[in-house]
Amino acid sequence: MSSSLSPVCSPSGASDTAAAAAPHPRETAVDDVLRRCRELVRPALVESVGRLHPWIADMAAYALGWSDAAGTPDPDGTEGKGVRQALAVLGAEAVGADGGAAVAGAVAVELVHTFSLLHDDIMDGDELRRQRPAVWKAYGTGPAVLAGDALHALAVQCLAGAPGPRTGEAVRRLCGALGALVRGQAEDLRFERQPWSGPGAVGMDQYRSMAEHKTGALLGCAVALGAVLGGGPAATVAELDRAGRHLGVAFQAVDDLLGIWGEPAVTGKPVHGDLRQGKKTFPVLAALAGEGPAARELAALLESPGRPDRATAARAAALVEEAGGRAATRAEARRHLDAARQGLRGSAPAPDAAADLDALFTSLLDRSR
């Protein structure tokens, strides 16, 4: 196994920004949950990636934040929060099983998430990921595509090797989520070619469908996989899956806010990046749905030929906020978070897992990256 895969950099739940104020106690509790789940899953994730071709394993280790582009363990690398793997572990605990029952599912969803980021960065032309060059910038487009394909295949292989009588059900669920993810990404890319207004404009329901497929499907799959592998009843698995899908729409809405107003030093993405790329995000669509002068000016600005420059994107961001797009997106995220929490309660989870899941759900609404 490549030396870059050695777990030299222990998982950290701390934010990669230098916060001036002490963290809120709830944030600290969520960090502890995420850290606990990462530590449980990490050995199996390292072992799985180590089965790849050494060159691809190095790219995977770079994408996961374990090493730099030279394959050297990187103490400054960030591997992300590990939300999806945590959801899988907590899904098992929610049905009364030990979190270890979900490790294969947690590895699978983490590999799928990583593969999707590799391919998304190529499709969107994003050059940075977590304050470092994206994999396609560090290694080349072809190698990054290949690495993503390898992680996709490895995810299914890892889950198929899980012990227990419900492995087949788990694999079918993962494959369904993969199909939904691809559908959502296709919708997102197609939206960029649709007009901002008129008969072919993207509607809010179309956006919600895209967000549920692109983001919600994998979050729902993660928590449901944990419940499946933990032996949970079908009704509970279905409730947890629905909760995760609502969480995904809320997550995507917050992501859209960060894509316009996020701090580049924290998000690792350029300011107003989504606006400059012409992405049909919820804040913009909500702003355009208004009838005031800000909405009309925004429509005229966005419909101008060519991609907006920095000044134009900055003006567009101000107009989106003035037309109510930012507030509407926060409200949309809150509605779907409430629906996710209602679904969680409906699944009647074990008390400790319920508290951890509720705290994790809520934290995703207030994230800064």
Side-chain angles (χ1 to χ4, degrees), residues 161-351:
R166 301 181 69 178
T167 301
E169 179 185 349
V171 171
R172 287 191 295 274
R173 186 169 288 275
L174 180 67
C175 290
L178 283 164
L181 188 156
V182 170
R183 176 177 174 176
Q185 181 66 9
E187 291 171 343
D188 195 28
L189 289 175
R190 188 184 62 176
F191 288 171
E192 294 181 27
R193 295 173 170 83
Q194 294 180 233
W196 289 103
S197 59
V202 178
M204 300 306 296
D205 286 343
Q206 288 177 292
Y207 170 93
R208 294 183 180 98
S209 173
M210 177 277 296
E212 180 180 342
H213 287 103
K214 179 181 177 180
T215 306
L218 188 57
L219 293 179
C221 176
V223 67
L225 275 182
V228 168
L229 295 172
T236 299
V237 171
E239 282 285 0
L240 290 172
D241 180 78
R242 279 193 290 272
R245 286 173 179 267
H246 278 294
L247 180 65
V249 179
F251 190 98
Q252 186 62 52
V254 174
D255 215 46
D256 288 351
L257 291 172
L258 297 175
I260 298 177
W261 295 285
E263 175 57 49
V266 179
T267 66
K269 299 292 184 71
V271 67
H272 304 147
D274 283 354
L275 282 170
R276 297 191 68 191
Q277 194 173 333
K279 294 185 77 67
K280 305 298 192 298
T281 61
F282 195 96
V284 179
L285 296 178
L288 290 172
E291 298 179 352
R296 291 193 292 271
E297 182 183 345
L298 176 64
L301 188 153
L302 293 173
E303 289 167 355
S304 300
R307 291 198 172 185
D309 57 19
R310 293 181 183 276
T312 303
R315 177 57 182 162
L319 290 168
V320 170
E321 182 158 18
E322 185 179 341
R326 192 171 189 171
T329 305
R330 292 291 297 179
E332 176 79 359
R334 174 60 63 182
R335 282 193 295 272
H336 282 280
L337 173 62
D338 289 345
R341 296 174 75 180
Q342 183 177 353
L344 175 60
R345 290 192 295 271
S347 70

Side-chain angles (χ1 to χ4, degrees), residues 22-46:
H24 189 280
R26 187 182 70 197
E27 295 172 349
T28 303
V30 170
D31 286 346
D32 289 343
V33 170
L34 292 170
R35 183 183 301 109
R36 172 175 70 83
C37 293
R38 283 197 304 269
E39 290 174 350
L40 176 64
V41 175
R42 179 67 177 271
L45 184 59
V46 171

